[in-house]
Coordinates of all heavy atoms in Angstrom, one line a residue:
M1 N 83.3 90.6 115.3 CA 83.3 91.8 116.1 C 82.0 92.5 115.8 O 81.5 92.6 114.6 CB 84.5 92.7 115.6 CG 84.6 94.0 116.3 SD 85.9 95.1 115.7 CE 87.3 94.3 116.2
S2 N 81.4 93.0 116.8 CA 80.1 93.7 116.7 C 80.3 95.1 115.9 O 81.5 95.6 116.0 CB 79.5 94.0 118.0 OG 80.2 94.9 118.8
P3 N 79.3 95.6 115.3 CA 79.5 96.9 114.6 C 79.9 98.0 115.5 O 80.6 98.9 115.1 CB 78.1 97.1 114.0 CG 77.4 95.8 113.9 CD 78.0 95.0 115.0
E4 N 79.4 98.0 116.8 CA 79.7 99.1 117.7 C 81.2 99.0 118.1 O 81.9 100.0 118.2 CB 78.9 99.0 119.0 CG 77.4 99.2 118.8 CD 76.7 98.0 118.3 OE1 77.2 96.8 118.5 OE2 75.6 98.1 117.7
K5 N 81.7 97.8 118.3 CA 83.1 97.6 118.6 C 84.0 97.9 117.4 O 85.0 98.5 117.6 CB 83.3 96.1 119.1 CG 84.6 95.9 119.8 CD 84.6 94.5 120.4 CE 85.8 94.3 121.2 NZ 85.9 92.9 121.8
A6 N 83.5 97.5 116.2 CA 84.3 97.9 115.0 C 84.4 99.4 114.9 O 85.4 99.9 114.5 CB 83.7 97.2 113.8
Q7 N 83.3 100.1 115.1 CA 83.3 101.5 115.0 C 84.2 102.2 116.0 O 84.9 103.1 115.7 CB 81.9 102.1 115.1 CG 81.8 103.6 114.9 CD 80.3 104.1 114.9 OE1 79.4 103.3 115.2 NE2 80.2 105.3 114.6
A8 N 84.2 101.7 117.2 CA 85.1 102.2 118.3 C 86.5 101.9 117.9 O 87.4 102.8 118.1 CB 84.7 101.6 119.6
Y9 N 86.8 100.8 117.4 CA 88.2 100.4 116.9 C 88.7 101.4 115.9 O 89.8 101.9 116.0 CB 88.2 99.0 116.4 CG 89.5 98.6 115.7 CD1 90.6 98.3 116.5 CD2 89.7 98.6 114.3 CE1 91.8 97.9 115.9 CE2 90.8 98.3 113.7 CZ 91.9 98.0 114.5 OH 93.1 97.7 113.9
W10 N 87.9 101.6 114.9 CA 88.3 102.5 113.8 C 88.4 104.0 114.3 O 89.2 104.7 113.8 CB 87.4 102.4 112.6 CG 87.8 101.2 111.8 CD1 87.1 100.0 111.7 CD2 89.0 101.0 111.1 NE1 87.8 99.1 111.0 CE2 88.9 99.6 110.6 CE3 90.1 101.7 110.8 CZ2 90.0 99.1 109.8 CZ3 91.1 101.2 110.0 CH2 91.0 99.9 109.5
K11 N 87.5 104.4 115.2 CA 87.6 105.7 115.7 C 88.9 105.9 116.4 O 89.6 107.0 116.3 CB 86.4 106.0 116.7 CG 86.3 107.4 117.2 CD 85.1 107.6 118.1 CE 85.1 109.0 118.6 NZ 84.0 109.2 119.5
E12 N 89.3 104.9 117.3 CA 90.6 105.0 118.0 C 91.7 105.0 117.0 O 92.7 105.7 117.2 CB 90.6 103.9 119.0 CG 91.6 104.2 120.1 CD 91.5 103.3 121.3 OE1 90.4 102.7 121.5 OE2 92.4 103.2 122.1
N13 N 91.6 104.2 116.0 CA 92.7 104.0 115.0 C 92.9 105.3 114.3 O 94.0 105.9 114.2 CB 92.3 102.9 114.0 CG 93.4 102.6 113.0 OD1 94.3 103.3 112.9 ND2 93.2 101.5 112.3
I14 N 91.8 105.9 113.8 CA 91.9 107.2 113.0 C 92.4 108.3 114.0 O 93.2 109.2 113.6 CB 90.5 107.5 112.4 CG1 90.2 106.5 111.4 CG2 90.6 108.9 111.8 CD1 91.1 106.3 110.2
S15 N 91.9 108.3 115.2 CA 92.4 109.3 116.2 C 93.9 109.3 116.4 O 94.6 110.3 116.4 CB 91.7 109.1 117.5 OG 92.2 110.0 118.5
T16 N 94.4 108.1 116.5 CA 95.9 107.9 116.6 C 96.6 108.4 115.4 O 97.6 109.1 115.5 CB 96.2 106.4 116.9 OG1 95.6 106.0 118.1 CG2 97.7 106.2 117.0
I17 N 96.1 108.1 114.2 CA 96.8 108.5 113.0 C 96.7 110.0 112.9 O 97.8 110.7 112.5 CB 96.1 107.9 111.8 CG1 96.4 106.4 111.8 CG2 96.5 108.5 110.5 CD1 95.6 105.6 110.7
I18 N 95.6 110.7 113.2 CA 95.5 112.1 113.1 C 96.5 112.8 114.1 O 97.2 113.8 113.7 CB 94.1 112.6 113.3 CG1 93.2 112.2 112.1 CG2 94.0 114.1 113.6 CD1 91.7 112.4 112.3
K19 N 96.6 112.3 115.3 CA 97.5 112.9 116.3 C 98.9 112.8 115.8 O 99.7 113.8 115.9 CB 97.4 112.2 117.6 CG 96.1 112.5 118.3 CD 95.9 111.7 119.6 CE 94.5 111.8 120.2 NZ 94.3 110.9 121.3
L20 N 99.3 111.6 115.2 CA 100.7 111.5 114.7 C 100.9 112.3 113.5 O 102.1 112.9 113.4 CB 101.0 110.0 114.5 CG 101.0 109.1 115.7 CD1 101.2 107.6 115.3 CD2 102.0 109.5 116.7
L21 N 99.9 112.5 112.7 CA 100.1 113.4 111.5 C 100.3 114.8 111.9 O 101.0 115.6 111.3 CB 98.9 113.2 110.5 CG 99.0 112.0 109.7 CD1 97.7 111.8 108.9 CD2 100.2 111.9 108.7
I22 N 99.6 115.2 112.9 CA 99.7 116.6 113.5 C 101.1 116.8 114.0 O 101.8 117.8 113.7 CB 98.7 116.9 114.5 CG1 97.3 117.0 113.9 CG2 99.0 118.2 115.3 CD1 96.1 117.1 114.9
I23 N 101.7 115.9 114.7 CA 103.1 116.0 115.2 C 104.0 116.0 114.0 O 104.9 116.8 114.0 CB 103.4 114.8 116.1 CG1 102.6 114.9 117.4 CG2 104.9 114.7 116.4 CD1 102.6 113.7 118.3
W24 N 103.8 115.1 113.0 CA 104.6 115.1 111.8 C 104.6 116.5 111.1 O 105.6 117.0 110.7 CB 104.1 114.0 110.9 CG 104.7 114.1 109.5 CD1 105.9 113.6 109.1 CD2 104.1 114.6 108.3 NE1 106.1 113.9 107.8 CE2 105.0 114.5 107.3 CE3 102.9 115.2 108.1 CZ2 104.8 114.9 106.0 CZ3 102.6 115.7 106.8 CH2 103.6 115.5 105.7
F25 N 103.4 117.1 111.0 CA 103.3 118.4 110.3 C 104.0 119.5 111.1 O 104.7 120.3 110.5 CB 101.8 118.8 110.1 CG 101.6 120.1 109.5 CD1 101.8 120.3 108.2 CD2 101.3 121.2 110.3 CE1 101.6 121.5 107.6 CE2 101.1 122.5 109.7 CZ 101.3 122.6 108.4
I26 N 103.8 119.5 112.4 CA 104.5 120.5 113.2 C 106.0 120.4 113.1 O 106.7 121.4 113.0 CB 104.0 120.4 114.7 CG1 102.5 120.9 114.8 CG2 104.9 121.3 115.6 CD1 101.9 120.6 116.1
V27 N 106.5 119.2 113.2 CA 108.0 119.0 113.1 C 108.5 119.3 111.7 O 109.5 120.1 111.6 CB 108.4 117.6 113.5 CG1 109.8 117.3 113.2 CG2 108.1 117.4 115.0
S28 N 107.9 118.8 110.7 CA 108.4 119.0 109.4 C 108.2 120.4 108.8 O 109.1 121.1 108.4 CB 107.9 118.0 108.4 OG 106.5 118.1 108.2
F29 N 107.0 120.9 108.8 CA 106.6 122.2 108.3 C 106.9 123.3 109.3 O 107.5 124.3 108.9 CB 105.2 122.2 107.8 CG 104.8 123.4 107.0 CD1 105.3 123.5 105.7 CD2 104.1 124.4 107.5 CE1 105.0 124.5 104.9 CE2 103.7 125.5 106.7 CZ 104.2 125.6 105.4
G30 N 106.5 123.1 110.5 CA 106.7 124.1 111.5 C 108.1 124.4 111.9 O 108.6 125.5 111.8
C31 N 108.8 123.3 112.4 CA 110.2 123.5 112.8 C 111.1 123.7 111.6 O 112.2 124.4 111.8 CB 110.6 122.3 113.6 SG 109.7 122.1 115.2
G32 N 110.8 123.1 110.5 CA 111.7 123.2 109.3 C 111.5 124.5 108.5 O 112.5 124.9 107.8
I33 N 110.3 125.1 108.6 CA 110.1 126.2 107.7 C 109.5 127.4 108.5 O 110.1 128.5 108.5 CB 109.1 125.8 106.6 CG1 109.7 124.8 105.7 CG2 108.7 127.1 105.8 CD1 108.7 124.2 104.7
L34 N 108.4 127.2 109.2 CA 107.7 128.4 109.9 C 108.5 129.0 111.0 O 108.6 130.2 111.2 CB 106.3 127.9 110.3 CG 105.3 127.5 109.3 CD1 104.0 127.1 109.9 CD2 105.1 128.7 108.3
F35 N 109.0 128.1 111.9 CA 109.7 128.6 113.1 C 111.2 128.6 113.0 O 111.9 128.6 114.1 CB 109.2 127.7 114.3 CG 107.7 127.6 114.4 CD1 107.2 126.3 114.5 CD2 106.9 128.7 114.5 CE1 105.8 126.1 114.6 CE2 105.5 128.5 114.6 CZ 105.0 127.3 114.6
I36 N 111.7 128.5 111.8 CA 113.2 128.4 111.7 C 113.9 129.6 112.2 O 115.0 129.4 112.9 CB 113.5 128.1 110.2 CG1 115.0 127.6 110.1 CG2 113.3 129.3 109.3 CD1 115.3 126.9 108.8
N37 N 113.4 130.8 112.1 CA 114.1 131.9 112.6 C 114.2 131.9 114.1 O 115.2 132.3 114.7 CB 113.5 133.2 112.1 CG 113.7 133.4 110.6 OD1 114.7 132.9 110.0 ND2 112.7 134.0 109.9
E38 N 113.1 131.6 114.7 CA 113.1 131.5 116.2 C 114.0 130.4 116.7 O 114.8 130.5 117.7 CB 111.7 131.3 116.7 CG 110.8 132.5 116.5 CD 110.2 132.5 115.1 OE1 110.4 131.6 114.3 OE2 109.5 133.5 114.9
L39 N 114.0 129.2 116.0 CA 114.8 128.1 116.4 C 116.3 128.3 116.1 O 117.2 127.8 116.9 CB 114.4 126.8 115.7 CG 113.0 126.2 116.1 CD1 112.6 125.1 115.2 CD2 113.0 125.8 117.6
N40 N 116.6 129.2 115.1 CA 118.0 129.4 114.8 C 118.7 130.3 115.9 O 119.9 130.4 115.9 CB 118.1 130.1 113.4 CG 118.1 129.1 112.3 OD1 118.4 127.9 112.6 ND2 117.8 129.5 111.1
T41 N 117.9 130.9 116.8 CA 118.6 131.6 117.9 C 119.2 130.7 118.9 O 120.0 131.1 119.7 CB 117.5 132.5 118.6 OG1 116.5 131.7 119.1 CG2 116.9 133.6 117.6
I42 N 118.8 129.4 118.8 CA 119.4 128.4 119.7 C 120.4 127.6 119.0 O 120.2 127.1 117.9 CB 118.3 127.5 120.3 CG1 117.2 128.3 121.0 CG2 118.8 126.4 121.2 CD1 115.9 127.5 121.2
E43 N 121.6 127.5 119.6 CA 122.7 126.7 119.0 C 123.0 125.5 119.9 O 123.1 125.6 121.1 CB 123.9 127.5 118.7 CG 123.7 128.5 117.6 CD 125.1 129.1 117.2 OE1 126.1 128.6 117.5 OE2 125.0 130.2 116.5
I44 N 123.2 124.4 119.2 CA 123.7 123.1 119.9 C 125.0 122.7 119.2 O 124.9 122.3 118.0 CB 122.6 122.0 119.9 CG1 121.4 122.5 120.7 CG2 123.1 120.8 120.6 CD1 120.2 121.6 120.6
S45 N 126.1 122.7 119.9 CA 127.4 122.3 119.4 C 127.7 123.1 118.1 O 128.2 122.6 117.1 CB 127.4 120.8 119.0 OG 127.2 120.0 120.2
G46 N 127.3 124.4 118.1 CA 127.7 125.2 117.0 C 126.7 125.1 115.8 O 127.0 125.8 114.8
V47 N 125.7 124.3 115.9 CA 124.7 124.2 114.8 C 123.4 124.8 115.3 O 122.9 124.6 116.4 CB 124.5 122.7 114.5 CG1 123.5 122.5 113.4 CG2 125.8 122.0 114.1
K48 N 122.9 125.7 114.4 CA 121.6 126.3 114.7 C 120.5 125.3 114.7 O 120.4 124.4 113.9 CB 121.3 127.4 113.7 CG 122.3 128.5 113.7 CD 122.0 129.6 112.7 CE 123.0 130.7 112.9 NZ 122.7 131.8 112.0
L49 N 119.6 125.4 115.7 CA 118.6 124.4 115.9 C 117.6 124.3 114.7 O 117.1 123.2 114.4 CB 117.8 124.7 117.2 CG 116.8 123.6 117.7 CD1 117.6 122.3 117.9 CD2 116.1 124.0 119.0
G50 N 117.3 125.4 114.1 CA 116.4 125.4 113.0 C 117.0 124.6 111.8 O 116.3 123.8 111.1
F51 N 118.2 124.8 111.5 CA 118.9 124.1 110.5 C 119.0 122.6 110.8 O 118.7 121.8 110.0 CB 120.3 124.6 110.3 CG 121.2 123.9 109.3 CD1 121.0 124.0 108.0 CD2 122.1 122.9 109.8 CE1 121.7 123.3 107.1 CE2 122.9 122.2 108.9 CZ 122.7 122.4 107.5
W52 N 119.2 122.3 112.1 CA 119.3 120.9 112.5 C 118.0 120.2 112.3 O 117.9 119.1 111.8 CB 119.8 120.8 114.0 CG 119.9 119.4 114.4 CD1 121.1 118.6 114.3 CD2 119.0 118.6 115.1 NE1 120.8 117.4 114.8 CE2 119.6 117.3 115.3 CE3 117.7 118.8 115.6 CZ2 118.9 116.3 116.0 CZ3 117.0 117.8 116.2 CH2 117.6 116.5 116.4
F53 N 116.9 120.9 112.7 CA 115.6 120.3 112.5 C 115.3 120.1 111.0 O 114.7 119.0 110.6 CB 114.5 121.1 113.1 CG 114.0 120.6 114.5 CD1 114.3 121.3 115.6 CD2 113.2 119.5 114.6 CE1 113.9 120.9 116.8 CE2 112.8 119.0 115.8 CZ 113.2 119.7 116.9
A54 N 115.6 121.0 110.2 CA 115.3 120.9 108.8 C 116.2 119.8 108.2 O 115.7 119.1 107.2 CB 115.6 122.2 108.1
Q55 N 117.4 119.5 108.6 CA 118.2 118.5 108.0 C 118.2 117.2 108.7 O 118.3 116.2 108.0 CB 119.7 119.1 108.0 CG 119.8 120.3 107.2 CD 119.4 120.2 105.8 OE1 119.7 119.2 105.1 NE2 118.6 121.1 105.3
Q56 N 118.2 117.1 110.0 CA 118.3 115.9 110.7 C 117.2 115.6 111.7 O 116.7 114.5 111.8 CB 119.7 115.9 111.5 CG 120.9 116.0 110.7 CD 121.1 114.8 109.8 OE1 120.8 113.7 110.2 NE2 121.6 115.0 108.6
G57 N 116.8 116.6 112.5 CA 115.8 116.4 113.5 C 114.5 115.8 113.1 O 113.9 114.9 113.7
A58 N 114.0 116.3 111.9 CA 112.8 115.8 111.4 C 112.8 114.3 111.1 O 111.9 113.6 111.4 CB 112.3 116.6 110.2
I59 N 113.9 113.9 110.5 CA 114.1 112.5 110.2 C 114.0 111.6 111.5 O 113.4 110.6 111.6 CB 115.4 112.2 109.5 CG1 115.4 112.9 108.1 CG2 115.7 110.7 109.3 CD1 116.7 113.0 107.4
Y60 N 114.7 112.1 112.6 CA 114.7 111.4 113.8 C 113.3 111.3 114.4 O 112.8 110.2 114.9 CB 115.6 112.0 114.9 CG 117.1 111.9 114.5 CD1 117.9 113.0 114.8 CD2 117.6 110.8 114.0 CE1 119.3 112.9 114.5 CE2 119.0 110.7 113.7 CZ 119.8 111.8 114.0 OH 121.1 111.7 113.7
V61 N 112.6 112.4 114.3 CA 111.2 112.4 114.8 C 110.3 111.5 114.0 O 109.5 110.8 114.5 CB 110.6 113.9 114.8 CG1 109.1 113.9 115.1 CG2 111.4 114.7 115.8
F62 N 110.5 111.4 112.7 CA 109.7 110.5 111.8 C 109.9 109.1 112.2 O 109.0 108.3 112.3 CB 110.0 110.7 110.3 CG 109.7 112.1 109.8 CD1 110.4 112.6 108.7 CD2 108.8 112.9 110.4 CE1 110.2 113.8 108.2 CE2 108.5 114.2 109.9 CZ 109.2 114.6 108.8
V63 N 111.2 108.7 112.5 CA 111.5 107.3 112.9 C 110.8 107.0 114.2 O 110.2 105.9 114.4 CB 113.0 107.1 112.9 CG1 113.3 105.7 113.5 CG2 113.6 107.2 111.5
I64 N 110.9 108.0 115.1 CA 110.3 107.8 116.4 C 108.7 107.6 116.3 O 108.1 106.8 116.9 CB 110.6 108.9 117.4 CG1 112.1 108.9 117.7 CG2 109.7 108.9 118.6 CD1 112.6 110.1 118.4
L65 N 108.1 108.4 115.4 CA 106.7 108.3 115.1 C 106.3 106.9 114.6 O 105.2 106.4 114.9 CB 106.2 109.4 114.1 CG 106.2 110.8 114.7 CD1 105.8 111.8 113.6 CD2 105.2 110.9 115.9
I66 N 107.2 106.3 113.8 CA 106.9 105.0 113.3 C 106.8 104.0 114.5 O 105.9 103.2 114.6 CB 108.0 104.5 112.3 CG1 107.8 105.3 111.0 CG2 107.8 103.0 112.0 CD1 109.0 105.2 110.1
F67 N 107.8 104.1 115.4 CA 107.7 103.2 116.6 C 106.6 103.5 117.5 O 106.0 102.5 118.0 CB 109.1 103.3 117.3 CG 110.2 102.6 116.6 CD1 111.2 103.4 116.0 CD2 110.3 101.2 116.5 CE1 112.2 102.8 115.3 CE2 111.3 100.6 115.8 CZ 112.3 101.4 115.2
V68 N 106.2 104.7 117.6 CA 105.0 105.1 118.5 C 103.8 104.5 117.8 O 102.9 104.0 118.5 CB 104.9 106.6 118.6 CG1 103.6 107.0 119.2 CG2 106.1 107.1 119.5
Y69 N 103.7 104.6 116.5 CA 102.5 104.1 115.8 C 102.4 102.6 116.0 O 101.3 102.1 116.3 CB 102.6 104.5 114.3 CG 101.4 103.9 113.5 CD1 100.2 104.4 113.6 CD2 101.6 102.8 112.7 CE1 99.1 103.9 112.9 CE2 100.6 102.2 112.0 CZ 99.3 102.8 112.1 OH 98.3 102.2 111.3
V70 N 103.5 101.9 115.8 CA 103.5 100.4 116.0 C 103.0 100.1 117.4 O 102.2 99.2 117.6 CB 104.8 99.8 115.7 CG1 104.9 98.4 116.1 CG2 105.1 100.0 114.2
A71 N 103.6 100.8 118.4 CA 103.2 100.5 119.8 C 101.7 100.8 120.1 O 101.0 100.0 120.7 CB 104.1 101.2 120.7
K72 N 101.3 101.9 119.6 CA 99.9 102.3 119.8 C 98.9 101.3 119.1 O 97.9 100.9 119.7 CB 99.6 103.7 119.4 CG 100.3 104.8 120.1 CD 99.7 105.0 121.5 CE 98.4 105.8 121.4 NZ 97.8 106.0 122.6
M73 N 99.2 101.0 117.9 CA 98.3 100.1 117.1 C 98.3 98.7 117.7 O 97.3 98.0 117.7 CB 98.7 100.1 115.7 CG 98.3 101.3 114.9 SD 96.6 101.8 115.2 CE 95.7 100.4 114.6
T74 N 99.5 98.2 118.2 CA 99.5 96.9 118.9 C 98.6 96.9 120.1 O 97.8 96.0 120.3 CB 100.9 96.6 119.3 OG1 101.7 96.5 118.1 CG2 101.0 95.2 120.0
A75 N 98.7 98.0 120.9 CA 97.8 98.1 122.1 C 96.3 98.2 121.7 O 95.5 97.6 122.3 CB 98.2 99.4 122.9
I76 N 96.0 99.0 120.6 CA 94.6 99.1 120.2 C 94.1 97.7 119.7 O 93.0 97.3 120.0 CB 94.5 100.2 119.1 CG1 94.7 101.6 119.8 CG2 93.1 100.1 118.5 CD1 94.8 102.7 118.8
D77 N 95.0 97.1 118.9 CA 94.6 95.8 118.3 C 94.3 94.7 119.5 O 93.3 94.0 119.4 CB 95.7 95.2 117.4 CG 95.7 95.9 116.1 OD1 94.8 96.7 115.8 OD2 96.7 95.7 115.3
E78 N 95.1 94.7 120.5 CA 95.0 93.8 121.6 C 93.7 94.2 122.4 O 93.0 93.3 122.9 CB 96.2 93.8 122.5 CG 97.4 93.1 121.9 CD 98.6 93.2 122.7 OE1 98.6 93.8 123.8 OE2 99.6 92.6 122.3
K79 N 93.5 95.5 122.5 CA 92.3 96.0 123.3 C 91.0 95.5 122.6 O 90.1 95.1 123.3 CB 92.3 97.5 123.3 CG 91.1 98.1 124.0 CD 91.2 99.6 124.0 CE 90.0 100.3 124.6 NZ 90.1 101.8 124.5
Y80 N 91.0 95.5 121.3 CA 89.8 95.1 120.6 C 89.8 93.6 120.1 O 88.9 93.2 119.4 CB 89.5 96.0 119.4 CG 89.1 97.4 119.9 CD1 90.0 98.4 120.0 CD2 87.8 97.7 120.2 CE1 89.6 99.7 120.5 CE2 87.4 98.9 120.7 CZ 88.3 99.9 120.8 OH 87.9 101.1 121.3
G81 N 90.8 92.9 120.4 CA 90.9 91.5 120.1 C 91.2 91.2 118.6 O 90.7 90.1 118.1
V82 N 91.9 92.1 117.9 CA 92.2 91.8 116.5 C 93.6 91.7 116.2 O 94.1 91.8 115.1 CB 91.5 92.9 115.6 CG1 90.0 92.9 115.7 CG2 92.1 94.3 116.0
H83 N 94.4 91.5 117.3 CA 95.9 91.3 117.1 C 96.2 90.0 116.5 O 95.4 89.1 116.5 CB 96.6 91.5 118.4 CG 96.2 90.5 119.5 ND1 95.0 90.6 120.1 CD2 96.9 89.4 119.9 CE1 95.0 89.5 121.0 NE2 96.1 88.9 120.9
E84 N 97.4 89.9 115.9 CA 97.8 88.7 115.3 C 98.3 87.7 116.3 O 98.8 87.9 117.3 CB 98.9 89.0 114.3 CG 98.5 89.9 113.2 CD 99.6 90.2 112.2 OE1 100.4 89.3 111.9 OE2 99.7 91.3 111.8

């Protein structure tokens, strides 16, 4: 792989990681701590949304982020010819 192509690969790789980490931070810290009072005004099946995000929702989002990361990295690897 040429140095330019390798640099573009890592730039796209790091960009993907940063975007997913931002989502992770917003969901875990934002929804679980910062915005909990606003989210608690919404109830789903008798459970306040802020509480649900702090206890269950963040875990679901984390698992979804893992699958998104795998899909994005597979596409990036294939794009740059470094897939297995």
Side-chain angles (χ1 to χ4, degrees):
M1 179 185 293
S2 70
E4 295 84 20
K5 198 171 181 181
Q7 185 176 6
Y9 170 79
W10 282 107
K11 183 178 180 182
E12 199 166 341
N13 186 346
I14 298 300
S15 173
T16 299
I17 291 170
I18 289 171
K19 289 173 188 173
L20 294 176
L21 283 174
I22 289 170
I23 293 169
W24 169 79
F25 177 79
I26 290 170
V27 169
S28 64
F29 192 72
C31 295
I33 297 172
L34 295 178
F35 310 123
I36 195 163
N37 293 330
E38 292 81 4
L39 291 172
N40 277 341
T41 61
I42 303 168
E43 287 191 20
I44 298 175
S45 299
V47 178
K48 295 181 178 182
L49 189 59
F51 175 78
W52 184 84
F53 260 108
Q55 299 301 315
Q56 299 294 326
I59 296 169
Y60 293 141
V61 172
F62 298 155
V63 172
I64 292 168
L65 286 177
I66 292 169
F67 287 107
V68 169
Y69 176 75
V70 168
K72 293 287 285 179
M73 285 309 301
T74 300
I76 291 170
D77 288 350
E78 288 177 0
K79 177 180 176 182
Y80 289 97
V82 293
H83 61 285
E84 296 180 40

